[in-house]
Amino acid sequence: MNEAAPSSPVRRERLREVRLLQSAIAAVDLERQIADYLTSRYLDYLQWLENGANANLRIYYSLRIPALILATTVPALIALDFGTVGRTITVVLGIVVAAATAVEHFLNSGQRWRHYRGTAEMMKSEAWLYLELAGDYASYTRHDTAFPTFVARAEALMRDEVREYVSTIVAEQRKPAETNVPGEH
């Protein structure tokens, strides 16, 4: 699993949650096949989702926050009327706002962040229910007998994540290009 250095309290907390889940998996007496699935397939996918969420949140904030701040500054600069230099600065800042907003919209990083974060949280919840034999796993007395149900639910979450990504996020990125075809009404 990729152990990148935490860059924020939120990132550190997310890494702590994954490590706590790793420790819980190691603490439960699981058959080798189950432990291998949990550490190789499940936790690797969970870490991939966490990395995707963190990367997209950084991109989203690095584009949106400056755009918001500059968007509120431009009208004030216009009102202050600093002459030619002020107008030039105002135009440049307006272009930066427009560019940052366009890039963020193109990358769709806010929606991607919400997508990855939501799926990661659902996967963590499912793992905890399985490890504690709670929720849908409460009728089981052993992890090995609950394992097929867990795998089916985990794989469904992963499949749904891919389906949602392709049908929602990728489709949203294609909409502007498809709707702006010259000559079509």
Side-chain angles (χ1 to χ4, degrees), residues 21-33:
L21 194 53
Q22 283 176 307
S23 297
I25 290 168
V28 176
D29 185 27
L30 299 171
E31 293 176 11
R32 181 82 177 141
Q33 175 190 7

Side-chain angles (χ1 to χ4, degrees), residues 67 92-104:
V92 169
L93 293 178
I95 291 169
V96 171
V97 169
T101 303
V103 169
E104 192 283 316

Side-chain angles (χ1 to χ4, degrees), residues 68-81 90 93 97:
L68 290 169
I69 292 168
L70 292 175
T72 60
T73 305
V74 167
L77 290 173
I78 291 170
L80 291 173
D81 192 16
T90 303
L93 293 178
V97 169

Side-chain angles (χ1 to χ4, degrees), residues 170-182 184:
V170 173
E172 285 295 318
Q173 283 184 304
R174 290 187 176 166
K175 270 186 189 177
E178 292 172 359
T179 58
N180 295 328
V181 177
E184 290 188 7

